[in-house]
Amino acid sequence: MNDDLAQFRAEIRAWLEQNCPQEMRDGAVGEDSTCWGGKNWNFTSDAQKTWLERCAAKGYTVPTWPVEYGGAGMNRDQEKIWLEELATINGRLPLQSFGIWMLGPALLHFGTHEQKLHYLPPIARGEIRWCQGYSEPGAGSDLASVQTKGEDKGDHWLVNGQKIWTSYADKADWIFALIRTDREAKKHLGISFLLIDMTSPGVSTKPIRLISGKSPFCETFFDNVEVPKHQIVGTENRGWDVAKYLLTHEREMISGSGLLAGGSRSLGAILAESGNLDEPVLRSDVMRHEIDGLAFGLTLERYKDQAEAGTGTGDASAMLKYYGTELNKRRQELIMAGAGSDALTWDDERAPHWLRSKANSIEGGTSEVMLSIISRRILGLPG
Amino acid sequence: MTKLIRSEEEIMLADAARGYLDEAAPVAKLRALRDAGEAHDPALWAEMAQMGWTGVLVPEEAGGSDMGHAAACVLAEEMGKTLAPTPFLSTAVIAATALRQVASARAKAALAKIAEGTVTYALAIDEGSKFDPEAIDLVAEKDGNGFRLSGQKRFVVDGGFADRLLVLARTEGGVTLFDIPADATGVTRSAKPMIDSRDAAEITFDKVEATGEDVLGTVDDAMAVLKPALEAGQAALAAELTGLAAGAFGRTVGYLKERKQFGTLIGTFQALQHRAADLWCECEVTSSAILHAGRMLDTDPENAALAVSVAKARAMDTASLAVREGVQMHGGIGMTDEFDMGFYMRRARVGAEWLGDYGYHAGVVAGLRGF
Ligand SMILES: Cc1cc2nc3c(=O)[nH]c(=O)nc-3n(C[C@H](O)[C@H](O)[C@H](O)COP(=O)(O)OP(=O)(O)OC[C@H]3O[C@@H](n4cnc5c(N)ncnc54)[C@H](O)[C@@H]3O)c2cc1C
Ligand SMILES: Cc1cc2nc3c(=O)[nH]c(=O)nc-3n(C[C@H](O)[C@H](O)[C@H](O)COP(=O)(O)OP(=O)(O)OC[C@H]3O[C@@H](n4cnc5c(N)ncnc54)[C@H](O)[C@@H]3O)c2cc1C
């Protein structure tokens, strides 16, 4: 077993050496540094395009997905080796997307074989970009009270309503959305999980500007949009099950985001270069963050090992989401403090990152909602 | 690849330990010892020897069960849950690990006695109020073929009753670790009852005779033997503190589900729910660091320092939070001696200082992480 893994590591290392373009070995993790795919994607360089194509051909964009759906069929140990070797050469991820983090796992679990064959490979190749239509003006933390409605018209649903905070809706090709298909049932039991082509007549988007100066999220409007019946995941009116399952993956993804930044180098080592780390209060905060960050990284590992051994709990993602995002917000505060006035202009990328991180503990379920989930479902405290 | 989850054997060990400790060493045991003015229960120790716990790090050829550091951490964690008062860390973890580094027949015989439960050890390093093995003044002067030890040690945990002492002393070209009987001529011990109802002695050494045989490892090179022993002890202490946090937390959550005010269970108040949930998260994150430290000590001991310091720093922080929230969420009753939370709080404070406080371990982490 360990011999096999050593062999596997050698293969990955050799493949990366041959195939990862030099320009992709800078460890960059910024919003445009990694390809998000989709028909509207503008590659920032030829290297970015080549890197995506080479990885997609091997299934490395989604290493653990089955080969028939565009993955590489890796197990957990192999995936870990892939990520470690990629980090060793400071390589960028070839592709990231909501399709990979969110819809993919949900389809793998709830989709039919035909749906998997139809929707997953284009995600793996970065051809179709997805966005998430969950939140509405009146349904944020209380997500199950979504009102966007789908009327049964025989072979299709007629969808009307509005979503909000839809990240990258203006760039996405498709949207997975929570639509109320039964207005009489209790709120959790009248929702369906529909897949909607953003080019369908009646779909429109309007960007919203963020405090970071960017506008990657939108209002999304549905005005008499026809959605064919086969574009449902799971059972009619049982979309909440799919939605919740997807959320556990979304939460795990968001929780790890802070750890990826900086590759294998510590925040302290990065900040030390600024010369400001001798200041004792900052230094002490950075040390504490380092210790918590290392322990949290181990927790991500442990939970994955638990999940693989079948001893994990789905609710654990609430813990990862809460802890990981609060940790990342601390990290961003320390980066700003370490940089001093150097980071206070808009042409420095640190300020927008710092501002963007504030959303981590809101998107995908707020920190308070995570704590309530832990308190009820894990600690069993009375509602 | 090593997994960050407990193996089946470790789960069985933990279950067995919990079953035994709930019966034989609940907090009531510590309370009874305190009320009787004692810090150690030889009968309890003898039973732990019977079960193979005292020999958890003793090689099989010396009669031990040799289960490894992760297993030692499992045991320490369970002991932490009930605050079981034993010299497990000083003797079965620290002394056994130090002795294991040495190939002599004498060391092997000492290991055999540890496994049998017929000897207890205490580690004498500290001289000031903070852990700092670099800053020691106690000297071992050359005297013929042997040495004479003079100076003072403080905060020698279990030092009031231990049979033998591991003493760190300055020698001509460095520091040296001695293994001497605690009743040697010139040794004066004054046992100090500590806030955690355990004992830590202040020990004076007045020209105490030691032979070359008494040197553990090599003269002037204590660290070759001491470093692994300290790391093993720090990891196991971190595990104990994690168990302590879990013990305090379990009681607190239990109370939230039973105490009523304003006509309802206090566990329905979100102000308390969220703090309890936050504390649970801290406990989870710390547990990962403990598992990892045990795994590193077992598989890659040369490079375990980072894992151990992360574990110790995390564990003392989490234990401190758990006992502070424990008292606060119990209201007035949390402040009473009759209730056990105070025992948890006091042990957490002692454990935070022993073998390096937060700042000490944060310094180690920073150094190893390049800043
Ligand atoms: C950058 C960003 C990107 C996003 N991307 C998407 C996306 O792509 N798709 C999508 O569907 N949504 C997206 N969202 C929306 C996100 O999921 C919601 O913002 C989130 O669920 C919170 O809802 P809300 O904004 O309505 O806040 P509210 O629910 O109104 O919450 C306001 C405050 O009240 C607190 N609160 C609410 N209920 C409770 C309670 N029961 N107990 C204690 N406190 C409570 C909250 O924690 C919060 O602090 C995004 C949000 C952000 C910021
Ligand atoms: C050292 C000491 C001296 C004292 N001296 C006196 C004295 O001289 N005279 C006297 O009359 N009393 C005295 N008291 C009692 C003291 O006033 C009470 O302990 C205090 O009011 C809390 O009540 P409780 O102990 O019943 O805790 P509880 O009310 O049971 O509280 C338990 C926990 O639940 C929390 N909690 C309760 N209700 C809510 C809520 N609605 N929302 C959120 N959290 C909640 C509390 O904050 C606490 O954390 C003393 C207490 C101490 C510890």
Side-chain angles (χ1 to χ4, degrees):
Chain A
M1 169 77 175
N2 279 334
D3 285 352
D4 289 351
L5 287 179
Q7 168 74 23
F8 181 79
R9 187 183 291 278
E11 281 165 24
I12 290 289
R13 188 172 295 176
W15 186 86
L16 281 171
E17 201 38 60
Q18 286 226 322
N19 290 282
C20 184
Q22 280 307 326
E23 299 98 302
M24 296 292 107
R25 301 187 190 195
D26 59 358
V29 291
E31 205 110 291
D32 303 324
S33 313
T34 312
C35 175
W36 285 75
K39 294 183 184 139
N40 300 317
W41 181 258
N42 291 320
F43 287 99
T44 52
S45 65
D46 290 345
Q48 195 186 49
K49 184 159 187 274
T50 308
W51 181 221
L52 171 64
E53 287 167 356
R54 286 181 183 165
C55 286
K58 297 286 280 186
Y60 292 163
T61 55
V62 284
T64 59
W65 290 10
V67 175
E68 64 174 328
Y69 304 137
M74 289 188 200
N75 64 26
R76 208 151 107 82
D77 287 337
Q78 291 170 329
E79 183 199 22
K80 209 163 136 184
I81 288 172
W82 156 254
L83 290 172
E84 279 169 7
E85 290 302 319
L86 188 62
T88 305
I89 60 162
N90 227 0
R92 298 187 195 177
L93 284 174
L95 179 67
Q96 60 190 350
S97 72
F98 292 2
I100 294 177
W101 298 320
M102 303 184 205
L103 183 62
L107 274 176
L108 283 167
H109 196 266
F110 290 96
T112 62
H113 181 59
E114 289 69 34
Q115 285 177 327
K116 293 178 197 172
L117 279 179
H118 183 71
Y119 292 110
L120 293 176
I123 293 175
R125 291 192 297 265
E127 290 164 5
I128 294 292
R129 182 168 182 180
W130 287 84
C131 65
Q132 177 185 36
Y134 276 28
S135 306
E136 296 180 6
S141 297
D142 185 13
L143 181 60
S145 59
V146 287
Q147 294 303 326
T148 299
K149 65 175 179 195
E151 288 168 83
D152 194 332
K153 297 285 179 188
D155 64 340
H156 67 272
W157 281 286
L158 191 64
V159 173
N160 278 287
Q162 184 200 340
K163 296 289 173 182
I164 196 167
W165 322 129
T166 324
S167 296
Y168 310 113
D170 52 344
K171 301 202 173 76
D173 307 301
W174 281 67
I175 185 169
F176 50 90
L178 299 183
I179 307 294
R180 184 154 305 282
T181 43
D182 183 348
R183 308 188 73 78
E184 311 302 321
K186 279 176 57 185
K187 64 179 181 179
H188 294 90
L189 299 175
I191 299 170
S192 296
F193 191 102
L194 302 188
L195 308 177
I196 304 174
D197 187 338
M198 292 295 277
T199 60
S200 314
V203 179
S204 60
T205 63
K206 194 171 143 210
I208 307 169
R209 193 176 156 99
L210 288 169
I211 56 174
S212 60
K214 303 194 172 174
S215 53
F217 67 7
C218 300
E219 289 177 280
T220 306
F221 302 93
F222 300 94
D223 184 14
N224 286 325
V225 177
E226 293 183 14
V227 181
K229 280 276 172 80
H230 61 84
Q231 285 172 205
I232 183 173
V233 181
T235 321
E236 184 173 351
N237 294 326
R238 301 311 299 260
W240 186 246
D241 296 339
V242 186
K244 274 195 308 183
Y245 181 85
L246 183 147
L247 275 174
T248 63
H249 286 271
E250 176 179 6
R251 286 169 186 163
E252 277 169 33
M253 181 280 297
I254 298 173
S255 67
S257 54
L259 290 173
L260 285 177
S264 53
R265 287 183 75 206
S266 71
L267 178 62
I270 296 167
L271 293 190
E273 284 163 9
S274 69
N276 294 338
L277 203 58
D278 296 336
E279 193 279 300
V281 177
L282 177 62
R283 185 174 169 79
S284 132
D285 287 349
V286 171
M287 282 171 154
R288 199 170 270 282
H289 175 273
E290 184 66 26
I291 289 167
D292 294 344
L294 287 168
F296 181 68
L298 293 166
T299 307
L300 287 174
E301 289 281 304
R302 180 161 73 89
Y303 278 26
K304 283 188 195 160
D305 285 342
Q306 277 180 359
E308 196 182 50
T311 56
T313 113
D315 300 323
S317 67
M319 180 268 165
L320 298 178
K321 165 73 168 63
Y322 166 67
Y323 205 93
T325 58
E326 295 297 334
L327 194 67
N328 191 40
K329 287 198 295 180
R330 270 165 70 193
R331 178 185 178 88
Q332 296 296 330
E333 290 292 336
L334 293 170
I335 288 172
M336 291 301 283
S341 60
D342 285 353
L344 299 184
T345 59
W346 286 115
D347 48 10
D348 190 286
E349 65 172 9
R350 285 171 287 199
H353 279 167
W354 160 68
L355 289 162
R356 175 63 181 82
S357 73
K358 302 305 174 210
N360 292 164
S361 51
I362 299 170
E363 58 198 329
T366 68
S367 281
E368 291 74 23
V369 169
M370 296 305 104
L371 289 172
S372 290
I373 289 175
I374 293 165
S375 141
R376 305 257 161 83
R377 303 219 198 110
I378 297 178
L379 305 183
L381 289 172
Chain B
M1 283 191 186
T2 52
K3 295 281 174 198
L4 276 183
I5 43 176
R6 280 187 174 169
S7 66
E8 254 167 60
E9 297 84 63
E10 286 163 354
I11 291 169
M12 275 162 56
L13 181 66
D15 288 347
R18 196 171 313 129
Y20 170 75
L21 292 165
D22 281 345
E23 280 289 309
V27 181
K29 176 89 191 177
L30 176 62
R31 180 187 291 277
L33 284 173
R34 176 198 69 177
D35 293 345
E38 315 246 346
H40 173 52
D41 178 5
L44 188 63
W45 189 241
E47 283 181 359
M48 292 186 173
Q50 287 269 310
M51 294 184 292
W53 295 6
T54 63
V56 64
L57 293 173
V58 172
E60 282 174 14
E61 73 258 25
S65 51
D66 205 8
M67 291 185 272
H69 293 280
C73 287
V74 167
L75 290 172
E77 189 170 328
E78 292 305 325
M79 291 183 206
K81 284 184 189 159
T82 65
L83 304 178
T86 79
F88 181 74
L89 296 186
S90 331
T91 303
V93 177
I94 296 171
T97 305
L99 288 160
R100 264 192 105 134
Q101 314 301 318
V102 180
S104 72
R106 183 175 139 169
K108 193 172 163 189
L111 282 164
K113 287 183 122 183
I114 289 178
E116 278 168 14
T118 50
V119 68
T120 53
Y121 270 87
L123 177 67
I125 294 186
D126 293 9
E127 297 177 12
S129 56
K130 287 286 178 186
F131 174 78
D132 186 0
E134 317 269 304
I136 57 151
D137 289 331
L138 185 142
V139 288
E141 279 174 314
K142 265 259 177 234
D143 181 28
N145 284 335
F147 299 86
R148 291 221 174 241
L149 277 58
S150 297
Q152 272 229 327
K153 292 290 182 186
R154 295 165 52 178
F155 195 27
V156 181
V157 172
D158 301 327
F161 63 83
D163 304 311
R164 299 192 67 87
L165 301 173
L166 297 182
V167 187
L168 187 63
R170 199 155 285 291
T171 38
E172 258 170 25
V175 284
T176 304
L177 193 62
F178 291 88
D179 173 0
I180 59 168
D183 57 1
T185 314
V187 172
T188 315
R189 300 197 266 183
S190 72
K192 298 260 172 207
M194 306 286 284
I195 56 170
D196 63 347
S197 310
R198 310 274 285 264
D199 123 81
E202 238 173 68
I203 307 185
T204 308
F205 298 79
D206 183 15
K207 299 203 172 67
V208 176
E209 219 179 284
T211 66
E213 290 270 276
D214 295 332
V215 173
L216 212 52
T218 322
V219 176
D220 294 337
D221 186 20
M223 283 306 157
V225 170
L226 191 58
K227 186 174 177 285
L230 284 174
E231 286 173 2
Q234 286 154 346
L237 177 56
E240 185 198 312
L241 289 168
T242 305
L244 181 156
F249 180 61
R251 278 156 204 258
T252 305
V253 170
Y255 193 68
L256 296 182
K257 293 177 185 173
E258 127 201 343
R259 168 73 171 165
K260 282 192 169 172
Q261 284 289 278
F262 301 98
T264 181
L265 293 170
I266 60 172
T268 58
F269 301 133
Q270 200 181 59
L272 302 186
Q273 290 181 342
H274 283 192
R275 272 159 50 196
D278 174 74
L279 174 54
W280 181 81
C281 293
E282 295 292 349
C283 289
E284 280 292 293
V285 172
T286 298
S287 292
S288 314
I290 303 301
L291 261 169
H292 180 58
R295 293 273 179 270
M296 285 299 287
L297 286 168
D298 283 332
T299 58
D300 190 7
E302 300 287 309
N303 297 306
L306 178 65
V308 168
S309 282
V310 169
K312 176 76 195 334
R314 279 289 317 177
M316 76 182 82
D317 232 25
T318 303
S320 165
L321 182 66
V323 296
R324 282 181 282 129
E325 291 288 42
V327 169
Q328 179 62 23
M329 293 197 209
H330 277 86
I333 204 160
M335 287 297 296
T336 61
D337 180 65
E338 194 189 334
F339 189 68
D340 289 339
M341 194 58 72
F343 282 84
Y344 284 90
M345 181 169 267
R346 295 185 299 253
R347 176 65 183 168
R349 186 84 276 283
V350 173
E353 288 300 325
W354 192 25
L355 302 175
D357 67 2
Y358 194 95
Y360 176 86
H361 289 287
V364 173
V365 170
L368 291 169
R369 294 286 287 161
F371 62 101

